[in-house]
Amino acid sequence: MTFSSAAFLFLYLPVVFILYQITPTLRAKNILLAAVSVFFYAFGEPVYVLLLLLSVTLNYILARMLGGKHRKAVLTAAIILNVLMLGIFKYAGFAAEIVNLIPGVQLPVPHIVLPIGISFYTFQILSYVIDVYRGDTQVQKNYWDLLFYISFFPQLIAGPIVKYHDIDEQIRERSVTAEKCAAGICRFTAGLAKKMLLSNTCGWIADAAFGASDPGTALAWLGAFAYCLQIYHDFSGYSDMAIGLGAMFGFDIPENFRYPYASGSIKEFWRRWHISLSTWFKEYIYIPLGGSRVGTGKMYRNKLIVFFTTGLWHGASWNFIFWGLWHGAFSILEEFVKPHKRKWLAILWRPLTLFVILFGFVLFRAETLADTGVYLRAMFSLSAGSAPVMLARCLSGYNIAVLILAAILSLPVVPALRRMLGEKLSAIAAYAGCAVLFIASVVSLASSTFNPFIYFRF
């Protein structure tokens, strides 16, 4: 069950929202949300929901043990347990393939189905245990509240990764006003429209280009551009929906995107893209390694470790690893060149940043490194390719209009319009626009095939 499914929109969400409103106490509301969130996960993962419950239970026990002796040993055990659980389900097959590269070694390669959202909820629960150890948050003695924190359905499957100390007070005390609920509905609808009206069309174009055996230069560039727009509107759309749903139940879930394609550097891009993940790596890996407080060489090392881990987090594939290292290399180059200190270089660095992002997403989208090489050759070969009919279909009037609109909306145009219209007019426009977008999204949903969110695979 996805946010963009009829079952969620017209059955699950209305029933849960009504039950939440009529539930009398906050304690009962939390138990209700924990129960329906576990059901939400079990709907898509009827077996792996047991893994989620096991993870929550073990970490609940380990976090309670952090108040006693041998705190470092308990923390180490918790980190090993969570990393091992993630590693077995996500990286066991990839690790076996690497070992099999050794001459004379032939291990069986396990094919384990990846539980949906395991990367997100594992990182979330790791942040909780580490924060308890550091003293940044109090241990949660109520099991249901911890289960609620980990399994809360708006952000369970694809984030944002919410740290416990950011939401602890809201678990204990919150309220839902009419204004907050209305704003949440509008935010959810905006995310739904991003997915159904923009991302899916951009995704069709990207799939056509990346699926062609000989796309040619024009189709290859079009596909790369379309994929950049697809992944942004798909993932930021999911985050918008999660934030909107959180507001409907009284929660302030942190922002996860701030128009990353408006960035003037790779460093700025990672302050705007998947913010909850980049801040997680900063707080729990980069800073503990010494961050930028150490010497230049060690700082470069720390950046490479973080970007390597970022790539690996996204999947068991060399493409993801090299995608992370690609960003890491340019991040280090920025530290060395310091483009922000020279106006002329800062101007040139902005388009360079976009090219780095676009080429990186070719790595991200292609299945293998060999596929990446073929695709990049097509982009720079100046060839017509063997798919002129597909290129013509991709360049239909409707598709061009969607690409232009998706590109415009990937930049901070909406905030500028709000400032120009003023508070009252922008509120009226937002409510009217949400009604139109919801109808258009439902019409698109009725006529489309199942198209899951990109980040469900992570």
Side-chain angles (χ1 to χ4, degrees):
M1 179 164 48
T2 67
F3 294 165
S4 56
S5 67
F8 181 86
L9 291 172
F10 301 111
L11 183 59
Y12 178 89
L13 181 57
V15 170
V16 170
F17 186 74
I18 292 170
L19 289 175
Y20 182 84
Q21 295 300 321
I22 63 176
T23 301
T25 65
L26 185 63
R27 172 61 57 200
K29 289 178 187 292
N30 287 349
I31 294 174
L32 168 70
L33 288 178
V36 298
S37 295
V38 171
F39 172 80
F40 175 83
Y41 190 79
F43 188 88
E45 294 286 13
V47 175
Y48 283 143
V49 67
L50 298 176
L51 181 68
L52 171 66
L53 295 174
L54 176 64
S55 177
V56 174
T57 302
L58 292 176
N59 282 281
Y60 170 78
I61 295 170
L62 289 167
R64 294 290 299 269
M65 292 172 63
L66 288 171
K69 297 180 179 180
H70 312 297
R71 296 178 69 247
K72 281 190 176 181
V74 173
L75 176 66
T76 302
I79 293 173
I80 292 173
L81 170 70
N82 286 285
V83 172
L84 185 63
M85 191 176 295
L86 181 61
I88 290 173
F89 285 93
K90 193 166 185 175
Y91 304 106
F94 185 54
E97 291 174 358
I98 294 174
V99 173
N100 286 342
L101 295 175
I102 302 173
V105 178
Q106 193 58 44
L107 296 177
V109 179
H111 298 282
I112 303 173
V113 177
L114 182 68
I116 295 175
I118 187 171
S119 298
F120 287 93
Y121 73 69
T122 299
F123 268 34
Q124 189 153 305
I125 205 162
L126 266 174
S127 72
Y128 163 70
V129 175
I130 294 171
D131 284 351
V132 170
Y133 173 80
R134 290 174 173 177
D136 293 337
T137 190
Q138 294 294 317
V139 67
Q140 178 52 261
K141 297 180 180 180
N142 186 298
Y143 176 81
W144 281 99
D145 280 354
L146 184 65
L147 176 62
F148 170 42
Y149 157 66
I150 298 298
S151 66
F152 189 35
F153 73 90
Q155 43 79 220
L156 169 62
I157 293 176
I161 301 170
V162 180
K163 293 182 285 294
Y164 186 77
H165 59 75
D166 289 335
I167 205 170
D168 179 28
E169 290 186 9
Q170 299 177 57
I171 292 175
R172 291 183 278 108
E173 185 179 354
R174 66 183 181 276
S175 61
V176 181
T177 64
E179 293 79 8
K180 188 170 187 175
C181 184
I185 292 171
C186 280
R187 186 68 180 267
F188 175 87
T189 303
L192 179 65
K194 280 184 178 181
K195 169 63 177 172
M196 299 306 302
L197 305 180
L198 299 178
S199 175
N200 286 355
T201 299
C202 293
W204 185 90
I205 297 170
D207 289 346
F210 281 89
S213 58
D214 182 20
T217 302
L219 184 57
W221 277 94
L222 179 65
F225 178 66
Y227 185 69
C228 284
L229 295 175
Q230 178 199 5
I231 195 170
Y232 168 71
H233 287 292
D234 189 282
F235 194 20
S236 70
Y238 183 95
S239 295
D240 287 340
M241 296 167 83
I243 292 168
L245 288 169
M248 291 170 63
F249 295 99
F251 287 90
D252 296 314
I253 295 177
E255 293 292 337
N256 210 24
F257 289 86
R258 289 193 178 95
Y259 300 102
Y261 295 156
S263 302
S265 66
I266 293 298
K267 184 176 183 179
E268 184 183 358
F269 173 77
W270 281 101
R271 287 175 175 172
R272 292 169 174 264
W273 174 276
H274 203 344
I275 299 168
S276 63
L277 180 67
S278 58
T279 54
W280 195 99
F281 278 114
K282 179 181 178 181
E283 291 184 21
Y284 300 106
I285 294 182
Y286 184 67
I287 292 177
L289 285 172
S292 57
R293 302 186 306 275
V294 294
T296 302
K298 289 184 178 180
M299 179 185 68
Y300 292 164
R301 177 206 64 186
N302 295 344
K303 281 182 174 290
L304 283 179
I305 290 173
V306 166
F307 278 104
F308 170 83
T309 312
T310 300
L312 189 62
W313 178 89
H314 280 83
S317 164
W318 288 112
N319 277 52
F320 290 127
I321 290 173
F322 280 103
W323 170 75
L325 292 175
W326 169 261
H327 278 262
F330 276 92
S331 179
I332 290 172
L333 179 62
E334 286 177 355
E335 292 288 345
F336 181 76
V337 175
K338 302 186 186 306
H340 61 281
K341 291 190 174 181
R342 301 176 182 88
K343 187 175 181 180
W344 65 270
L345 189 55
I347 293 172
L348 292 176
W349 211 259
R350 186 172 293 275
L352 175 63
T353 298
L354 292 176
F355 278 117
V356 170
I357 294 167
L358 184 140
F359 294 149
F361 277 137
V362 171
L363 263 170
F364 198 94
R365 173 61 177 78
E367 294 294 329
T368 65
L369 289 176
D371 292 338
T372 304
V374 170
Y375 199 87
L376 289 175
R377 280 196 297 273
M379 290 177 71
F380 294 99
S381 64
L382 300 179
S383 67
S386 60
V389 175
M390 182 56 69
L391 176 61
R393 290 182 63 190
C394 289
L395 290 175
S396 69
Y398 176 78
N399 288 346
I400 291 173
V402 170
L403 286 172
I404 292 173
L405 183 61
I408 292 172
L409 293 178
S410 69
L411 301 173
V413 174
V414 173
L417 287 174
R418 285 176 182 160
R419 290 192 296 270
M420 186 173 64
L421 291 174
E423 187 175 347
K424 289 185 177 180
L425 281 178
S426 63
I428 295 171
Y431 291 137
C434 282
V436 173
L437 289 175
F438 184 78
I439 294 171
S441 298
V442 170
V443 170
S444 177
L445 173 65
S447 60
S448 66
T449 56
F450 176 68
N451 193 346
F453 289 89
I454 291 174
Y455 265 67
F456 278 13
R457 61 189 288 204
F458 307 128

